[in-house]
Amino acid sequence: MPVKLSAPAAETLLPVKGVQLGYAQAHIRKPNRKDVLVMTLPEGSSVSGVFTLNRFCAAPVTVCKEHLQQGKGIRALLVNTGCANAGTGQQGLDDARASCIAVAQALNISPEQVLPFSTGVILETLPMEKLLAGIPAAVANLQTDNWLNAAEAIMTTDIVAKGTSRTLTIDGKTITITGISKGSGMIHPNMATMLGYIATDAAIAQSALDAIIQHAVNKSFNCITVDGDTSTNDSLILMATGQAGNTQIDEKSAGFVALRDALTEVAIELAQAIVRDGEGATKFMTIQVEAGKDEEECRKVAYAIAHSPLIKTAFFASDPNLGRILAAIGYAGIEDLDVNTMQLYLGNVLVAEKGGRAASYVEEQGAAVMKESDILVRVVLNRGAANATVWTCDFSYDYVKINADYRS
Amino acid sequence: MPVKLSAPAAETLLPVKGVQLGYAQAHIRKPNRKDVLVMTLPEGSSVSGVFTLNRFCAAPVTVCKEHLQQGKGIRALLVNTGCANAGTGQQGLDDARASCIAVAQALNISPEQVLPFSTGVILETLPMEKLLAGIPAAVANLQTDNWLNAAEAIMTTDIVAKGTSRTLTIDGKTITITGISKGSGMIHPNMATMLGYIATDAAIAQSALDAIIQHAVNKSFNCITVDGDTSTNDSLILMATGQAGNTQIDEKSAGFVALRDALTEVAIELAQAIVRDGEGATKFMTIQVEAGKDEEECRKVAYAIAHSPLIKTAFFASDPNLGRILAAIGYAGIEDLDVNTMQLYLGNVLVAEKGGRAASYVEEQGAAVMKESDILVRVVLNRGAANATVWTCDFSYDYVKINADYRS
């Protein structure tokens, strides 16, 4: 069950001026579920994207990058679940392009103005007949208040729909931000297996939007892991329709930092929601590594802890088997780490220092922290001034069940 | 259940001239199990060791390295299970040294001639009273034909005892090799969480023995992974008593390669046994990566596949969800990998080429391979002449159960 996470109420996901969303049940893989989403943007919108670094990137990712590069002004996004269109060679590219053409025809725009996304099983080709039948159905019900339906339409093994909104005031104008995300397995940074769509009605210059998405993804989706697997399809898209009435924001504008931070907050909430809904998750863990020489070594330690199946199963069991954490710190790859000068905390409890168990530590304290559903693991390296934080979840019977049965 | 692995019959583990083994039930962690082992070697034996690279290496590992370095001639090994004496700071070092003193007193040798080993729970100190009581009991039943008892005495979460023997003829003399190992979780190269002890009665020069252990470990224990966790206590020890009557072998001797290869075979069998007995294992997988630019990139790809929980759970389910393997190849870290020129085979079945599913592939073929208990995954990178092989196992409900319940 998701850890302290429930689907947002429909009315809490605020419409974003200029954005319309429509969905369809196209039976791509399973009957009776929303599996196709079309989002439309008004002319003049700015759009930025960041994508998986997996060398086996999916066909739609390749096409997304091409269309963003061509700069003809993105006007629509198409998402399907049930099939990732990854590991599909030339056929996959042909299918992704054909689906853009279909959306373009339905909306009277050009195919280069469409971004395609797919998520689901890898190594199978898209059932194009079903997808092409779903597109006009999704276009037919385009609405501004369809964000919760949209969040539901992009789910795969997700248990709950993920979305959030923020408002802020810039130039005396109310700016609205709404984002949705999906993903719960194959979650790893650079990026998570996930799709994320964040829209705002603010007017933002393209260069500022590009800077904001990099900032936001580094603080959010690049800090989460469920299982260490980096997907072929990960995509985060940031869209700005420019209909809020504010003066266009660039990196020197007074409102830039406030807007960047609000968008980053939304990205963090969406990223954490993916971990809270991690496959089989029963615990949400924040791994905070402090006082390292540089951010990279802090991230190495944080990910060594976050990826260890031994640690993840111990958290599942609420077992303060903290020696496993020390072992992970030890093999994280910091060759000159002095284990005698670092400290390990579980929540606020000092667990280990001077290379061993802290004299003050009694297991009951650790056991009490482990019973919580949100747990902080703090490693203080005492080697420098850098920090890094990673969010992850535990490893349960249900993780195995979900992934052993995924295709059945 | 272990994958095609059963405990050796006692009579198949051949005595090695000069080696005696004794065990005790010292109740270190649990009652009624053999948990202390003492091995003794005759004067003049050569001994080599390789140890964990974990920065949080256990106290006994530190002491082992010191004693090997001092070069006073190793005469005895002490192993306890139930407590790893790792993450135990100064107390841990004091305890490891005190246990060497106790063995030395019982055998009338000096403490620097004793190598101590511990395996079990991390971050707890050794129950010295129990251990010290066990040492004379183990010494009291030292025998040459005690190898199976010794293999049983070093087990922790292992289901079956692991051991094997070989004989070969050099100089007209019969050379005997017998080895035992333990380990089933926290298994990763450099090294596996494991203890391995291989003895031979051949006379081997120290420098030749050092060369052989490096060769053997790189072909065996450094090629296995269960869960990617590198232990604090991993140790492999190679011992040569010199009592077979052969002329001492150095790296230029005629018998060197034959002896090295026989010892390496034993190491491979012991290493593979650890994977076959991997926690919760139901499948044994050989990941063979071929035609890479260098061995390092082949190993990266092999380990990306071997560590992926998504792949491991799919193998558990006998589900030919091969897209997950492509995804792992894609995120393995080869930045200039051309996914269109590589091939993926499952057993002898060509599964993927040209960036997608092979035209000839039908899922029934993949499903048939997945039902086997020993499965070969072959990745042909078509970039060069280097190869690497890694052995691993699947990821089952029982893996979670074993590790969630380990301390209870």
Side-chain angles (χ1 to χ4, degrees):
Chain A
M1 289 300 300
V3 185
K4 290 191 186 170
L5 180 74
S6 49
E11 64 274 16
T12 64
L13 295 183
L14 305 174
V16 176
K17 286 193 195 94
V19 179
Q20 291 198 300
L21 310 104
Y23 65 88
Q25 298 192 347
H27 312 285
I28 303 246
R29 181 164 192 86
K30 291 184 179 170
N32 304 319
R33 58 186 292 168
K34 302 163 189 163
D35 53 9
V36 169
L37 170 68
V38 171
M39 296 178 67
T40 59
L41 302 171
E43 216 167 327
S45 296
S46 318
V47 176
S48 278
V50 286
F51 299 94
T52 181
L53 297 178
N54 195 309
R55 292 296 307 159
F56 251 103
C57 87
V61 170
T62 301
V63 175
C64 271
K65 289 180 184 170
E66 282 174 14
H67 288 186
L68 281 169
Q69 189 124 31
Q70 286 166 1
K72 298 204 171 162
I74 300 303
R75 295 291 307 282
L77 286 69
L78 169 70
V79 190
N80 75 270
T81 65
C83 172
N85 191 10
T88 46
Q90 186 58 44
Q91 182 68 46
L93 287 167
D94 294 346
D95 290 345
R97 292 202 175 96
S99 65
C100 291
I101 291 170
V103 172
Q105 284 171 343
L107 294 170
N108 198 26
I109 56 178
S110 75
E112 297 76 20
Q113 296 181 297
V114 181
L115 299 181
F117 304 87
S118 297
T119 179
V121 177
I122 305 173
L123 212 61
E124 293 185 5
T125 54
L126 276 174
M128 285 303 288
E129 204 171 320
K130 292 176 180 176
L131 178 59
L132 294 177
I135 289 170
V139 168
N141 75 2
L142 283 168
Q143 296 174 45
T144 57
D145 60 354
N146 239 350
W147 280 98
L148 182 58
N149 282 318
E152 289 168 356
I154 63 174
M155 291 164 68
T156 55
T157 55
D158 307 63
I159 295 176
V160 301
K162 299 166 187 67
T164 189
S165 288
R166 292 280 190 292
T167 57
L168 72 164
T169 305
I170 294 179
D171 274 359
K173 307 288 181 188
T174 299
I175 305 286
T176 300
I177 302 168
T178 295
I180 57 175
S181 66
K182 68 82 44 177
S184 70
M186 212 187 248
I187 299 299
H188 189 55
N190 306 312
M191 304 188 358
T193 293
M194 56 122 234
L195 301 175
Y197 303 98
I198 303 176
T200 176
D201 49 13
I204 314 179
Q206 185 66 44
S207 65
L209 198 68
D210 294 344
I212 288 172
I213 197 170
Q214 284 303 334
H215 179 88
V217 78
N218 284 335
K219 299 275 183 196
S220 60
F221 294 101
N222 281 350
C223 299
I224 64 175
T225 181
V226 168
D227 47 24
D229 283 79
T230 303
S231 148
T232 51
N233 292 58
D234 302 320
S235 307
L236 174 68
I237 302 294
L238 187 52
M239 300 161 273
T241 64
Q243 304 213 338
N246 64 300
T247 310
Q248 194 185 59
I249 290 170
D250 64 25
E251 287 154 280
K252 291 173 182 157
S253 304
F256 175 76
V257 169
L259 182 59
R260 183 194 69 187
D261 290 353
L263 285 163
T264 300
E265 263 179 39
V266 167
I268 290 173
E269 189 173 334
L270 293 175
Q272 291 190 350
I274 287 173
V275 175
R276 291 185 181 279
D277 196 7
E279 289 172 345
T282 74
K283 302 274 172 79
F284 178 86
M285 281 121 71
T286 300
I287 317 292
Q288 194 171 305
V289 179
E290 304 170 17
K293 276 193 183 157
D294 52 41
E295 196 179 323
E296 192 195 338
E297 71 171 35
C298 294
R299 287 173 75 91
K300 272 188 189 172
V301 171
Y303 276 114
I305 295 170
H307 286 157
S308 162
L310 286 170
I311 293 172
K312 291 162 93 81
T313 48
F315 274 85
F316 168 56
S318 300
D319 175 6
N321 190 332
L322 298 157
R324 292 182 179 173
I325 301 179
L326 294 186
I329 296 167
Y331 68 67
I334 306 184
E335 288 192 8
D336 61 348
L337 179 67
D338 183 351
V339 298
N340 295 309
T341 58
M342 50 140 289
Q343 286 114 26
L344 173 64
Y345 292 83
L346 194 59
N348 293 319
V349 179
L350 176 65
V351 176
E353 61 176 348
K354 296 175 188 160
R357 184 197 293 261
S360 57
Y361 175 67
V362 290
E363 181 144 330
E364 290 65 33
Q365 294 175 300
V369 176
M370 293 297 274
K371 283 195 187 119
E372 303 290 329
S373 58
D374 274 48
I375 298 174
L376 172 66
V377 177
R378 271 182 71 210
V379 180
V380 185
L381 295 174
N382 291 314
R383 291 159 54 87
N387 301 317
T389 298
V390 162
W391 299 291
T392 192
C393 57
D394 60 337
F395 223 169
S396 69
Y397 294 116
D398 281 354
Y399 177 85
V400 178
K401 183 171 165 53
I402 291 163
N403 283 297
D405 295 347
Y406 181 49
R407 302 202 313 168
S408 55
Chain B
M1 288 302 299
V3 185
K4 292 190 184 169
L5 181 73
S6 49
E11 64 275 16
T12 64
L13 296 183
L14 306 174
V16 175
K17 287 191 196 96
V19 179
Q20 291 198 299
L21 311 102
Y23 65 89
Q25 297 192 349
H27 313 285
I28 303 254
R29 180 164 192 87
K30 292 183 179 171
N32 305 321
R33 58 186 292 167
K34 301 162 189 162
D35 52 9
V36 169
L37 169 68
V38 172
M39 298 177 67
T40 58
L41 302 171
E43 216 168 327
S45 297
S46 319
V47 176
S48 278
V50 287
F51 300 93
T52 181
L53 297 177
N54 196 310
R55 292 296 306 162
F56 250 104
C57 86
V61 170
T62 302
V63 175
C64 272
K65 289 180 184 170
E66 282 173 12
H67 288 185
L68 282 169
Q69 188 124 34
Q70 285 166 3
K72 298 203 172 163
I74 300 303
R75 297 291 308 282
L77 286 68
L78 169 70
V79 191
N80 75 270
T81 65
C83 172
N85 191 10
T88 47
Q90 186 57 46
Q91 182 68 47
L93 288 168
D94 294 347
D95 290 345
R97 293 201 175 96
S99 65
C100 292
I101 292 169
V103 172
Q105 284 172 343
L107 294 169
N108 198 27
I109 55 177
S110 76
E112 296 76 20
Q113 296 181 296
V114 181
L115 299 181
F117 305 87
S118 297
T119 179
V121 177
I122 305 173
L123 211 61
E124 292 185 6
T125 54
L126 278 173
M128 285 304 288
E129 203 172 322
K130 292 176 180 173
L131 178 59
L132 294 178
I135 289 169
V139 167
N141 74 4
L142 282 167
Q143 298 174 43
T144 58
D145 59 354
N146 240 349
W147 280 98
L148 182 58
N149 282 317
E152 290 168 356
I154 63 174
M155 291 166 65
T156 55
T157 55
D158 307 61
I159 295 176
V160 301
K162 299 166 186 69
T164 189
S165 287
R166 293 280 188 293
T167 57
L168 73 163
T169 305
I170 295 179
D171 273 0
K173 307 288 183 188
T174 299
I175 305 287
T176 301
I177 302 169
T178 295
I180 57 174
S181 66
K182 67 82 45 176
S184 71
M186 211 189 247
I187 299 300
H188 188 55
N190 304 315
M191 302 188 355
T193 291
M194 56 123 238
L195 301 176
Y197 303 98
I198 303 176
T200 177
D201 49 12
I204 314 179
Q206 185 68 44
S207 65
L209 198 69
D210 294 343
I212 288 173
I213 197 171
Q214 285 302 333
H215 179 88
V217 78
N218 285 335
K219 300 274 181 198
S220 60
F221 294 101
N222 282 350
C223 299
I224 63 175
T225 181
V226 168
D227 48 24
D229 282 80
T230 303
S231 148
T232 49
N233 292 58
D234 302 320
S235 307
L236 173 69
I237 302 294
L238 187 52
M239 300 162 273
T241 64
Q243 304 212 336
N246 66 301
T247 311
Q248 194 186 61
I249 291 171
D250 64 26
E251 288 155 278
K252 291 173 183 158
S253 304
F256 175 75
V257 169
L259 182 60
R260 183 194 70 187
D261 291 353
L263 285 163
T264 300
E265 264 179 38
V266 167
I268 290 173
E269 188 174 334
L270 294 175
Q272 290 190 349
I274 288 173
V275 174
R276 290 185 182 280
D277 196 7
E279 289 171 346
T282 74
K283 303 272 172 79
F284 177 85
M285 282 120 72
T286 300
I287 317 292
Q288 195 170 305
V289 180
E290 303 169 18
K293 277 193 184 159
D294 53 40
E295 196 181 322
E296 192 196 337
E297 73 173 33
C298 295
R299 287 173 74 91
K300 270 188 190 174
V301 171
Y303 276 114
I305 295 169
H307 286 157
S308 162
L310 286 170
I311 293 172
K312 292 161 93 79
T313 48
F315 274 85
F316 169 55
S318 300
D319 176 6
N321 190 330
L322 299 157
R324 291 181 181 174
I325 301 178
L326 294 187
I329 296 167
Y331 68 66
I334 305 184
E335 287 192 9
D336 60 349
L337 179 68
D338 183 351
V339 298
N340 295 309
T341 58
M342 50 140 288
Q343 286 114 27
L344 172 64
Y345 292 83
L346 193 59
N348 293 319
V349 179
L350 176 65
V351 177
E353 62 178 347
K354 297 176 187 161
R357 184 196 295 258
S360 57
Y361 176 68
V362 290
E363 180 144 333
E364 288 66 32
Q365 295 175 300
V369 177
M370 294 296 274
K371 282 195 189 120
E372 302 291 328
S373 58
D374 273 48
I375 299 174
L376 171 66
V377 177
R378 270 182 72 210
V379 180
V380 185
L381 294 175
N382 291 314
R383 293 159 52 87
N387 300 316
T389 299
V390 163
W391 298 291
T392 191
C393 57
D394 61 336
F395 223 170
S396 70
Y397 293 118
D398 280 353
Y399 177 85
V400 178
K401 181 168 166 54
I402 291 163
N403 283 297
D405 295 349
Y406 181 49
R407 302 202 313 168
S408 55

